[in-house]
Amino acid sequence: MKTQPSLVTLALAAALAIPGCESGERAAAATMDGAGASNGAVVKGGDDRTGPYDPVAGWWKGAPDHDDEWGWGQVAGVAVDHPDRIIVVTRGDWPADRSDPREDRLRRTNYIVVANGNGEIVEQWAQWDSLFTLPHQVYINPYDPDRHVWVVDSGGGAGHMQVVKFTNDGSEIAMRLGERDHPKTREAARARSDWGPYTYGWPSKLAFLPDGSFLLADGYWNSRIIKYSEDGEFIMQWGALGTGPGEFDLLHGLAVDEDRVYVADRQNERLQLFTHDGEFIEEWPNIFDPVNIWLDENGAVWVLDASLNRILKYDRDGVLQDYWGAYGAAGAIGRGIWPGGLSLPHQMDMDEDGNLYIASYSGGWINKFTPKPDADPGRLLGPRLLLTH
């Protein structure tokens, strides 16, 4: 009698045959149990909403000056100094009741805060509150032994569109780039293509190189990438508004590997890749709302998808390998916020212990995720790729 293949065998073969995200890795992930362990056992249920990570429930706390009236507004960015020092930028406080329709919706404070390993706010850089309007992202240059803190302030029409570099403790400004005489509207910005190297149009992202130079994505209104020296001197720029190769419409992700620059071209729903000199290489199309790119030392390209509330994993050839994440601001059955839920994720970073931190912009919180004990290492973000030259 001829032996018939089992249903499990047929299902696995079918999954491996599907192109794109149903790669062998994704199919293998589907057989994992709720803890992410691939142990060959059939485990029922589960929805993989946080992938190979466990959310740390209740990690993000209120600031010392938050009360029944005021709480977190839009939490825009996160950068890890070390596991007990997490630096966060926000766009000011909102009424604790986030549905409050009052016109005085914003309290201009808590733009830069620092949390400890338990999510408690231990530093408030209130001395710089008057400097900012719309802080957008925060960074620590991984090549910098002094671990300066960088903040990109998108500014808005009335504010200062700028990049500010602070000492690690926030006591001093080490560098400040950005002209005050900038375009006041998106239409004004896009009516010209000859803005100077320090006249920004809602800047968004930074990426650093080992020699101290850095790239700025400029940004929401302008459509270019600018390269500066370690001292902030202009080196070069590339890009223009449009949909063609080398053109952008809202740059919102930036990363660099050994020979390529990765750019999240948000409104065009794609990643574009360039040489370090700005020459177009290729595009990875059909990526909906990409806002952050993380290159790890294992060769994976991780993309934060704001609208889908997902983290997407690609290989260096642009082939989708895996994804996880789910919306978590409210529940249709009235359960409200659940641990690990994302709400317009905006920036992510990782500490040396492999814990992942994600700023949920619309939700007003930072998620902390810890690797599940039996997680498949291939599904975890690896340490940030660091270049040697």
Side-chain angles (χ1 to χ4, degrees):
M1 179 182 293
K2 184 176 180 180
T3 302
Q4 297 294 323
S6 69
L7 292 177
V8 173
T9 301
L10 289 173
L12 182 57
L16 291 171
I18 298 174
C21 70
E22 297 297 336
S23 64
E25 181 173 354
R26 184 68 183 165
T31 69
M32 296 177 185
D33 64 25
S38 182
N39 55 16
V42 175
V43 178
K44 299 180 180 181
D47 56 20
D48 205 32
R49 74 189 78 166
T50 60
Y53 292 90
D54 286 322
V56 180
W59 183 80
W60 181 240
K61 311 296 194 301
D65 55 348
H66 286 169
D67 51 29
D68 293 339
E69 184 178 4
W70 291 100
W72 296 115
Q74 296 162 321
V75 177
V78 59
V80 176
D81 191 9
H82 54 72
D84 200 37
R85 192 165 189 262
I86 315 301
I87 303 172
V88 174
V89 294
T90 82
R91 293 191 162 179
D93 288 346
W94 276 12
D97 177 3
R98 293 175 67 88
S99 64
D100 191 331
R102 297 178 313 180
E103 291 185 3
D104 57 336
R105 186 171 180 78
L106 177 67
R107 186 169 71 169
R108 294 175 54 84
T109 191
N110 287 319
Y111 285 134
I112 307 176
V113 296
V114 180
N116 64 15
N118 296 320
E120 300 160 336
I121 305 303
V122 294
E123 298 177 36
Q124 294 167 281
W125 293 13
Q127 70 272 28
W128 304 117
D129 282 347
S130 62
L131 192 69
F132 295 107
T133 308
L134 293 173
H136 187 259
Q137 303 279 256
V138 60
Y139 301 89
I140 294 178
N141 181 348
Y143 305 105
D144 176 10
D146 296 322
R147 304 203 45 91
H148 287 87
V149 176
W150 298 69
V151 176
V152 178
D153 185 9
S154 54
H160 193 169
M161 301 179 188
Q162 59 186 328
V163 177
V164 186
K165 177 183 177 182
F166 295 97
T167 55
N168 183 267
D169 62 0
S171 62
E172 299 178 21
I173 294 176
M175 183 189 298
R176 190 179 183 189
L177 305 178
E179 301 289 348
R180 289 290 311 198
D181 186 20
H182 56 68
K184 300 301 188 289
T185 67
R186 176 183 174 186
E187 291 71 24
R190 293 188 166 187
R192 291 177 52 182
S193 59
D194 59 346
W195 296 109
Y198 304 99
T199 306
Y200 305 138
W202 205 298
S204 56
K205 291 282 186 173
L206 291 173
F208 301 94
L209 294 161
D211 64 359
S213 63
F214 59 97
L215 302 174
L216 171 67
D218 178 35
Y220 275 71
W221 295 354
N222 290 342
S223 302
R224 60 181 178 171
I225 296 170
I226 311 171
K227 184 175 182 179
Y228 299 101
S229 71
E230 183 177 11
D231 297 325
E233 297 296 324
F234 173 77
I235 297 176
M236 65 172 295
Q237 68 177 30
W238 74 87
L241 177 64
T243 60
E247 296 176 336
F248 307 108
D249 188 353
L250 204 169
L251 299 91
H252 209 291
L254 200 56
V256 182
D257 71 9
E258 297 86 351
D259 35 42
R260 297 182 292 184
V261 177
Y262 298 71
V263 183
D265 188 8
R266 188 174 181 180
Q267 292 287 74
N268 286 327
E269 298 181 6
R270 63 186 179 181
L271 261 60
Q272 293 196 68
L273 278 62
F274 301 87
T275 68
H276 286 196
D277 294 324
E279 296 180 9
F280 176 78
I281 299 173
E282 65 172 343
E283 72 169 58
W284 299 354
N286 196 28
I287 302 175
F288 185 53
D289 206 5
V291 296
N292 194 190
I293 304 170
W294 176 277
L295 305 181
D296 75 22
E297 62 183 22
N298 302 318
V301 180
W302 301 87
V303 177
L304 202 56
D305 188 309
S307 290
L308 297 181
N309 296 288
R310 288 178 179 173
I311 298 176
L312 311 168
K313 179 186 178 182
Y314 297 87
D315 63 20
R316 292 283 186 95
D317 294 320
V319 178
L320 182 62
Q321 304 291 303
D322 196 3
Y323 59 81
W324 60 269
Y327 179 64
I333 56 177
R335 291 183 177 175
I337 297 169
W338 55 270
L342 305 175
S343 181
L344 206 164
H346 203 240
Q347 189 180 18
M348 60 184 174
D349 203 354
M350 190 171 67
D351 68 27
E352 60 198 53
D353 297 327
N355 301 312
L356 183 63
Y357 303 82
I358 300 178
S360 274
Y361 178 86
S362 293
W365 64 74
I366 299 291
N367 293 95
K368 179 179 180 178
F369 296 95
T370 61
K372 291 178 178 178
D374 299 320
D376 177 354
R379 301 195 72 203
L380 296 170
L381 277 74
R384 184 195 306 273
L385 173 67
L386 295 178
L387 307 180
T388 57
H389 61 278

